[in-house]
Amino acid sequence: MKMTGARIVIESLIKENVEVVFGYPGGAIMNVYDELYKQDKFKHILAKHEQGAVHMADGYARATGKVGVAFVTSGPGLTNAVTGIATAYTDSIPLVVISGQVPTTAIGTDAFQEVDAVGVTRPITKHNFLVKDVKDLAFIIKEAFYLAKSGRPGPVHIDIPKDVTVASTKFEYPEKIELKTYKPTYKGNKRAIKRAVEAIKKAKRPVFYIGGGSVLSGASDIIREIVKFTKIPSVETLMARGVLRYDCPYLLGMVGMHGTFAANMAMNDADLIISLGARFDDRVTGKIDEFAKNADIVHIDIDPSQIGKVVETKYPIVGDVKLVLEEMMPLLFDGIDTERYKEWRDILNRYQELYPLKYKDSNEVIKPQWVIQKTGEIAPEDAIISTDVGQHQMWAAQFYPFTYPRQLITSGGLGTMGFGFPAALGAKEGMKDRVVINFTGDGSIMMNIQETLVGYKYNLPVINIILNNNYLGMVRQWQTMFYEDRLSETDLSDVQPDFVKLAESMGAVGYRVSKKEEFEEALKDALEAKRVAFIDVQVDRREDVLPMVPPNSPLKNMLVFKEDK
Amino acid sequence: MKRVISVIVENEHGVLARVVNMFAARGYNITSLTVAPIPNSEFSRMTIMSEGDPKIFEQIVKQLYKLIPVYKVIESDDFIQKEMAMIKFPLKEVKNNLADIDAIARCYNGKISNVNDKHVVVSVVDRPDRIDNFLKAMMAKYKNLEIVRSGVSVIER
């Protein structure tokens, strides 16, 4: 049967079992929206800004593990989507973003709302396409979904000129796809796996360094089993929070710039670091010349370009973390002497006792860390937690009791302020039965607060907890520590909205909290409210995120709490 | 360290931009670049000469493979390397030395390809390092030269 390009887009998404598209219409993509109107197989959520739409698709993908889909129009629609696409790219989140484009006949003429879309998204997508012929369209959509979710996942962008959405051809959606030039390696090399297992058995001070790839590959269960059996101390990156339960006795906490003392010392003093889908990011390693000087590296990653990129790797294994660990586990369990790591565990336990994560609570002011902990006590154990970017993000990562992978939704790589709320809305859309809470700051929340209306219209009751210190807190912290407290453009105390009124004006419920009792009450009320909620918590203005590895310092040179020095 | 890699890519929209952008985005150098379709196939061959230490080359190769349309990256110490260079001499500079120039050009698989009332054009084809030598010799001896190099092409032995 012959179909227009616009109809092919819709039919292809139905074939891919897409449940929801987040988007924003405009001139160049109108034909696709017209076909969308005529169907009822999947839902469309109209965002208030294209950045919001892409973050929603991203949050949906992170929470559900499915591919997130977004529609935007040409020109400014696409450029507004860029931050969303780049956010997904740095965190390897599978998205398919479809943009309208001016007709092929107008491309290159500086037409109205024309931008070189594939040129713009090339460095921030796993791959992108400009569809020049309607005959290629179905295949390209199939390929886009396949690329987005296979191998190391990532966003794929399809740019469709308006005349291609009008032209028609026979619709045949390919059942299977095989690409000559793209064949990701899933199974690890057997000999490499064997060598790595031997190295683990021989090590005295091994550490599992768990990264976001473990979440993407669904390796949490097997990692929990291996850690429990081998009793090897483990650290998690920001992207891997929840792979192990917060109360796992072998979990030393988060590693890196705001990681725990014990986790960072484990990396510093280890003789073998076993990286599970992590990429030795600069926020994890600290000063690279001083990083893990006595350690050999086992690096398991599906993306070969990550191996050896930052650190010399003695035991490289290209493959899917879960599949590699499935091969490894029986070899590792066979004759491993977990007692040989006991001394190492004791040292690290001692570090945990000496320098635990902590803060000085107060009865006069609310400490932001207390808010995170209290939320962890009140919210259901399976609540999804999203964050924006800054101090509140680090406190959430440090103090929230994460119990399962995909529980924390946060912009780790790109560090996108304004991500948390729309991502939370997308997560809620994908996981309706879960409570979704977004920890945010008074800076970040203002970047996409317009999406409150989306929560209202589509009944997505996300709870925003604003840790309001009237500062751009993380920048303020750096200014205090490294710029002699010159607070250049970070004091927001004279530019605050009335969050309660703002919330109410958009069909949400708002609470202003300045005492501890009020917070508990507000959160309990918000959990019942079934509406988007904003809890504006006035917190201690000058609280710092600690411990901290100063930029470009070795991990062992952590700034700790004053009384611990 | 200079090295040459040969990249087989699918002939598709924007593939050259993808490869070149990757070099630019990651701060790698391109010393020379040649591209042409491979006859009777849907592929093109790019030959890229770059500079960097072995670690950088390892990353270049891996990052190239990461690009979806890249089919194969060939790195070899056993390439036959060829480059073409053309030199335009002002006629008044060389009119008494044409025989010399032609003789030297022949040592580099070349010859005088064109002469008119203003200029003499010599073209040579040889290994890039030999082309370097040839150009150095010519530049030392003659002034106001216009030089065009094609960039290196390679094939595995």
Side-chain angles (χ1 to χ4, degrees):
Chain A
M1 191 175 71
K2 274 201 158 191
M3 281 185 195
T4 63
R7 180 79 190 280
I8 287 173
V9 171
I10 301 299
E11 293 297 327
S12 301
L13 298 193
I14 293 169
K15 289 270 186 197
E16 289 291 339
N17 299 314
V18 170
E19 293 163 340
V20 57
V21 172
F22 304 87
Y24 206 104
I29 198 165
M30 278 185 73
N31 294 320
V32 176
Y33 269 87
D34 191 45
E35 288 298 331
L36 174 85
Y37 184 86
K38 298 176 195 161
Q39 63 85 41
D40 58 2
K41 295 285 196 310
F42 62 85
K43 194 171 159 183
H44 179 268
I45 288 189
L46 173 63
K48 290 287 141 198
H49 186 290
E50 288 89 349
Q51 185 190 351
V54 180
H55 287 328
M56 285 174 209
D58 181 328
Y60 172 88
R62 290 183 204 234
T64 62
K66 298 173 192 164
V67 178
V69 183
F71 285 170
V72 298
T73 194
S74 66
L78 183 276
T79 54
N80 276 345
V82 161
T83 302
I85 299 171
T87 302
Y89 182 62
T90 10
D91 288 343
S92 308
I93 304 304
L95 296 185
V96 171
V97 178
I98 295 176
S99 61
Q101 179 56 284
V102 302
T104 48
T105 47
I107 287 180
T109 65
D110 305 318
F112 177 65
Q113 294 194 328
E114 181 189 359
V115 74
D116 172 13
V118 285
V120 169
T121 64
R122 198 174 290 128
I124 53 163
T125 50
K126 182 169 173 183
H127 196 53
N128 61 13
F129 300 90
L130 170 62
V131 186
K132 287 182 157 168
D133 186 337
V134 70
K135 290 195 190 74
D136 302 331
L137 184 56
F139 189 85
I140 284 174
I141 295 173
K142 177 81 186 175
E143 190 177 342
F145 275 87
Y146 170 63
L147 289 174
K149 63 191 173 194
S150 63
R152 179 181 180 178
V156 178
H157 167 214
I158 309 173
D159 196 35
I160 312 178
K162 195 167 185 178
D163 54 342
V164 174
T165 64
V166 177
S168 52
T169 189
K170 194 163 169 246
F171 176 61
E172 275 174 309
Y173 202 66
E175 286 295 314
K176 274 172 86 177
I177 190 159
E178 197 163 322
L179 301 175
K180 255 188 215 164
T181 60
Y182 173 80
K183 295 191 192 331
T185 309
Y186 290 96
K187 280 191 72 131
N189 177 289
K190 281 205 158 102
R191 274 178 50 203
I193 289 173
K194 234 180 182 167
R195 291 218 328 268
V197 167
E198 290 313 313
I200 297 171
K201 285 180 179 169
K202 275 193 203 128
K204 284 194 180 127
R205 301 185 306 280
V207 57
F208 282 122
Y209 160 46
I210 306 167
S214 304
V215 176
L216 298 169
S217 90
S220 174
D221 287 345
I222 192 163
I223 292 173
R224 288 178 183 203
E225 202 177 335
I226 290 175
V227 169
K228 192 176 166 197
F229 188 90
T230 61
K231 303 189 177 70
I232 291 176
S234 304
V235 303
E236 285 175 349
T237 66
L238 174 64
M239 297 310 295
R241 298 302 269 149
V243 168
L244 297 177
R245 272 184 68 98
Y246 74 98
D247 50 5
C248 167
Y250 310 107
L251 174 62
L252 302 168
M254 184 167 74
V255 66
M257 185 171 269
H258 294 296
T260 63
F261 187 85
N264 285 341
M265 290 310 285
M267 294 290 265
N268 192 70
D269 294 346
D271 66 354
L272 186 73
I273 293 174
I274 307 131
S275 169
L276 309 175
R279 59 182 174 90
F280 298 88
D281 177 85
D282 57 278
R283 284 294 188 270
V284 162
T285 62
K287 189 177 184 186
I288 194 64
D289 306 335
E290 308 264 342
F291 174 71
K293 283 180 126 169
N294 303 311
D296 287 333
I297 310 286
V298 176
H299 195 164
I300 306 172
D301 205 298
I302 198 158
D303 176 359
S305 74
Q306 296 311 306
I307 297 176
K309 183 181 75 175
V310 178
V311 292
E312 284 288 322
T313 302
K314 193 165 174 187
Y315 305 99
I317 302 174
V318 178
D320 175 78
V321 173
K322 185 180 169 192
L323 294 181
V324 170
L325 290 179
E326 278 171 2
E327 292 258 338
M328 254 188 175
M329 194 165 72
L331 300 173
L332 189 60
F333 287 9
D334 180 23
I336 191 169
D337 172 19
T338 61
E339 278 307 293
R340 67 182 282 122
Y341 315 131
K342 181 158 187 313
E343 204 185 315
W344 172 231
R345 281 196 301 271
D346 290 344
I347 294 170
L348 295 172
N349 289 344
R350 184 83 187 115
Y351 284 147
Q352 278 184 300
E353 282 160 24
L354 282 172
Y355 302 104
L357 263 188
K358 64 177 178 185
Y359 62 96
K360 209 170 174 186
D361 204 5
S362 157
N363 286 322
E364 275 89 63
V365 285
I366 303 181
K367 293 286 182 173
Q369 301 94 328
W370 177 87
V371 177
I372 310 268
Q373 281 184 328
K374 200 74 203 165
T375 307
E377 286 166 24
I378 296 172
E381 195 178 273
D382 66 354
I384 291 173
I385 303 300
S386 74
T387 80
D388 268 303
V389 170
Q391 285 186 312
H392 69 269
Q393 179 188 30
M394 291 298 104
W395 284 318
Q398 289 177 331
F399 287 95
Y400 198 86
F402 295 104
T403 52
Y404 65 97
R406 298 192 181 278
Q407 182 174 24
L408 174 64
I409 292 177
T410 192
S411 169
L414 198 66
T416 306
M417 289 171 72
F419 168 81
F421 180 37
L425 291 167
K428 182 74 186 175
E429 172 59 35
M431 307 291 267
K432 286 267 172 54
D433 59 325
R434 301 275 174 88
V435 167
V436 181
I437 296 172
N438 174 39
F439 286 112
T440 179
D442 49 304
S444 288
I445 192 61
M446 290 308 292
M447 288 201 179
N448 270 319
I449 201 161
Q450 76 284 352
E451 305 302 338
T452 307
L453 289 164
V454 172
Y456 171 71
K457 180 176 173 195
Y458 297 94
N459 189 27
L460 299 169
V462 165
I463 300 171
N464 293 283
I465 300 177
I466 307 169
L467 299 178
N468 190 342
N469 54 14
N470 289 254
Y471 279 126
L472 296 175
M474 188 58 96
V475 182
R476 194 284 306 155
Q477 176 173 338
W478 283 48
Q479 287 170 336
T480 303
M481 287 177 166
F482 313 120
Y483 295 85
E484 296 167 319
D485 207 34
R486 288 187 298 276
L487 305 190
S488 178
E489 302 295 322
T490 48
D491 190 340
L492 303 182
S493 50
D494 54 352
V495 283
Q496 293 275 325
D498 181 330
F499 282 107
V500 176
K501 283 189 186 151
L502 185 57
E504 282 167 0
S505 75
M506 292 191 278
V509 51
Y511 309 85
R512 191 174 164 87
V513 167
S514 45
K515 291 196 199 85
K516 282 179 167 178
E517 316 82 81
E518 292 171 347
F519 176 71
E520 214 168 320
E521 225 171 276
L523 180 57
K524 283 180 178 158
D525 195 72
L527 283 165
E528 298 299 317
K530 307 275 180 261
R531 277 199 284 167
V532 174
F534 289 88
I535 308 179
D536 175 13
V537 189
Q538 300 292 313
V539 296
D540 189 352
R541 293 199 71 195
R542 283 281 184 155
E543 190 70 15
D544 288 332
V545 181
L546 289 172
M548 178 175 190
V549 181
N552 205 29
S553 292
L555 283 180
K556 63 183 177 199
N557 290 4
M558 269 166 283
L559 304 172
V560 291
F561 304 90
K562 280 196 190 88
E563 59 275 21
D564 287 344
K565 274 177 192 162
Chain B
M1 188 188 69
K2 273 190 185 167
R3 265 200 93 125
V4 183
I5 42 182
S6 194
V7 191
I8 314 293
V9 297
E10 260 184 297
N11 281 331
E12 62 171 45
H13 176 83
V15 62
L16 175 62
R18 271 181 223 287
V19 170
V20 172
N21 275 5
M22 188 281 287
F23 276 81
R26 294 188 181 266
Y28 306 142
N29 295 314
I30 294 179
T31 311
S32 88
L33 167 69
T34 61
V35 193
I38 298 173
N40 301 325
S41 82
E42 72 263 48
F43 296 111
S44 281
R45 184 190 280 261
M46 294 185 186
T47 310
I48 302 169
M49 185 185 262
S50 179
E51 234 168 308
D53 59 41
K55 208 182 149 185
I56 288 183
F57 269 96
E58 189 189 323
Q59 264 301 305
I60 289 176
V61 171
K62 285 175 169 175
Q63 293 295 344
L64 283 169
Y65 267 119
K66 205 164 146 179
L67 301 173
I68 307 297
V70 169
Y71 178 61
K72 207 171 167 194
V73 183
I74 306 162
E75 253 195 316
S76 166
D77 296 321
D78 203 17
F79 279 132
I80 296 170
Q81 303 191 10
K82 290 287 176 206
E83 184 173 6
M84 186 184 70
M86 292 190 279
I87 310 184
K88 194 192 270 180
F89 299 84
L91 185 61
K92 59 177 193 278
E93 273 278 324
V94 292
K95 60 183 174 216
N96 300 324
N97 302 69
L98 286 179
D100 273 11
I101 288 174
D102 191 60
I104 297 171
R106 280 174 197 285
C107 298
Y108 294 89
N109 305 314
K111 60 180 184 190
I112 292 173
S113 342
N114 188 271
V115 182
N116 64 18
D117 56 345
K118 290 197 192 91
H119 297 109
V120 175
V121 175
V122 169
S123 61
V124 293
V125 177
D126 213 322
R127 273 200 335 255
D129 57 319
R130 285 180 49 85
I131 297 277
D132 287 344
N133 293 339
F134 171 71
L135 294 177
K136 235 183 264 166
M138 290 296 119
M139 283 189 290
K141 207 162 169 197
Y142 304 105
K143 288 192 185 60
N144 301 321
L145 309 185
E146 201 180 320
I147 297 171
V148 176
R149 297 181 71 151
S150 68
V152 62
S153 290
V154 299
I155 195 163
E156 308 89 280
R157 263 181 233 276

